[in-house]
Amino acid sequence: MLVYVIRRLAQSVGVLLAMSMLVFASVYLIGNPADILISMDADQAERARLVRAMGLDQALPLQYWNFLQHALRGDLGNSFVHGVPAISLVFERLPATLELACVAMLIAIALGVPLGLWAGLRPHSWIGRSIMTGSILGFSLPTFWVGLMLIVVFAVQLAWLPAGGRGPTREVLGLSLSIFSVEGWKHLLLPAVNLALFKLALVTRLTRASTHEALTQDYVKYARAKGLSPARVVGVHVLKNILVPIVTVVALEFGALVAFAAVTETIFVWPGAGKLIIESIGSLDRPVIVAYLLVVVSMFTLLNLLVDIAYSSLDPRVRLDEQSA
């Protein structure tokens, strides 16, 4: 297992290196940050001084080499816009995104697994068919449109929940969280539901397909032949065996929630890392863009590793030493 973990970590370093190169090249090609960050009223001397201060007067390979040297010391550069270390700016916004993603994933799991089980156990009932039809809508409806409709209905017409922003926060283990107050939940509910909709449809359909497949297996038929109650057959023999694909997808999709929460955060003015990256792309704030993407790639890599380790505990037939061979 140790060899497997070391190999995965070495692969992660290569992925991070390739990602940083792609980001540097793409931001360099689509525009010059100096054209956005420096005032049009600045004279040539002031413009040259600011360009030199940001290191934009150097060739791209030299800029990237300087970035790598600083990155090895844990310094990903200062934000062009905010003037603070880019990595600290990302970590400052990240708790809000993680809180939103965690609540959204809990909603998707809490509703998706029971709905998928019902649809898998009773596929021809009208409830089962309705669940599958609803899951298709969850895949099809655009996130930005659903978010706007949620605001129109629950914030504007019914005035039950706020249209945007984040409620009061409380420091817990160094993280600013808003789930410990009623007002915080009011601000969190709409963006969490909006972000969870696609994942809810995914978990529902995955659970339904896994349940349908498990019901045809010999161990389920044998359990029924022994006279076990339907609740025990489903709870012990079906649910336990469908957890492997569900855990895999949920873990990887959690990383996707964090990475692609930008649309939801922008619609609901949620002060998370997703909103930060949208603002940074608009201003070509290269250090923040690179820092954010490196954090996301590291998170995906860690989640992949944890999923592989969880395989061995959920399914004894899976062995990490065989995968690393």
Side-chain angles (χ1 to χ4, degrees):
M1 179 176 177
L2 180 60
V3 174
Y4 174 76
V5 173
I6 293 176
R7 179 176 297 180
R8 289 293 298 273
L9 292 177
Q11 293 173 350
S12 304
V13 173
V15 172
L16 291 174
L17 184 64
M19 178 60 68
S20 62
M21 292 176 62
L22 289 174
V23 172
F24 253 83
S26 60
V27 176
Y28 181 84
L29 290 175
I30 63 176
N32 186 359
D35 296 334
I36 298 177
L37 300 174
I38 298 178
S39 173
M40 298 295 295
D41 299 331
D43 55 28
Q44 290 298 324
E46 185 178 2
R47 180 182 177 87
R49 180 180 61 81
L50 293 175
V51 168
R52 187 166 54 253
M54 291 186 292
L56 298 176
D57 59 328
Q58 303 171 347
L60 181 61
L62 183 57
Q63 292 184 42
Y64 182 68
W65 174 247
N66 292 333
F67 163 77
L68 286 181
Q69 289 181 317
H70 288 85
L72 292 176
R73 300 193 296 267
D75 179 14
L76 297 181
N78 291 335
S79 167
F80 293 158
V81 176
H82 303 278
V84 299
I87 191 66
S88 65
L89 191 61
V90 172
F91 283 142
E92 179 184 337
R93 300 284 194 94
L94 195 58
T97 299
L98 290 176
E99 180 182 50
L100 179 61
C102 286
V103 174
M105 186 56 74
L106 288 176
I107 293 174
I109 295 172
L111 296 178
V113 173
L115 291 175
L117 274 173
W118 185 285
L121 295 173
R122 296 175 175 83
H124 302 297
S125 65
W126 69 270
I127 296 180
R129 295 180 183 274
S130 299
I131 291 173
M132 299 311 295
T133 302
S135 67
I136 295 176
L137 290 176
F139 279 121
S140 305
L141 296 177
T143 300
F144 70 89
W145 182 84
V146 175
L148 293 175
M149 291 301 100
L150 289 174
I151 292 175
V152 169
V153 174
F154 294 100
V156 178
Q157 295 183 351
L158 298 177
W160 288 353
L161 298 170
R166 194 183 185 196
T169 60
R170 180 184 301 177
E171 291 287 334
V172 178
L173 300 177
L175 301 177
S176 298
L177 302 177
S178 60
I179 59 176
F180 297 101
S181 66
V182 175
E183 189 65 26
W185 274 103
K186 289 182 178 180
H187 285 80
L188 178 60
L189 191 56
L190 285 184
V193 170
N194 184 56
L195 190 61
L197 185 61
F198 182 87
K199 307 306 176 186
L200 171 60
L202 180 63
V203 172
T204 300
R205 298 188 70 87
L206 176 63
T207 305
R208 189 261 185 191
S210 301
T211 301
H212 181 73
E213 181 181 357
L215 291 176
T216 63
Q217 300 300 314
D218 291 337
Y219 58 83
V220 174
K221 296 178 181 178
Y222 179 70
R224 285 174 170 172
K226 288 172 59 178
L228 297 180
S229 64
R232 183 170 178 81
V233 171
V234 173
V236 176
H237 297 279
V238 174
L239 185 59
K240 183 179 179 180
N241 285 278
I242 68 175
L243 280 178
V244 173
I246 292 176
V247 167
T248 304
V249 171
V250 165
L252 297 180
E253 290 299 320
F254 179 78
L257 278 178
V258 175
F260 302 112
V263 174
T264 297
E265 291 184 359
T266 302
I267 294 172
F268 292 94
V269 200
W270 187 263
K275 188 171 183 294
L276 173 66
I277 191 64
I278 294 297
E279 297 170 349
S280 300
I281 292 174
S283 60
L284 296 181
D285 197 347
R286 187 183 301 158
V288 176
I289 299 174
V290 174
Y292 172 82
L293 291 179
L294 293 182
V295 169
V296 170
V297 171
S298 301
M299 186 177 301
F300 268 104
T301 303
L302 177 61
L303 287 173
N304 272 306
L305 181 59
L306 293 178
V307 166
D308 289 339
I309 294 175
Y311 264 11
S312 62
S313 59
L314 290 174
D315 190 346
R317 296 170 297 180
V318 179
R319 290 291 180 267
L320 292 180
D321 55 356
E322 295 177 357
Q323 297 179 12
S324 61

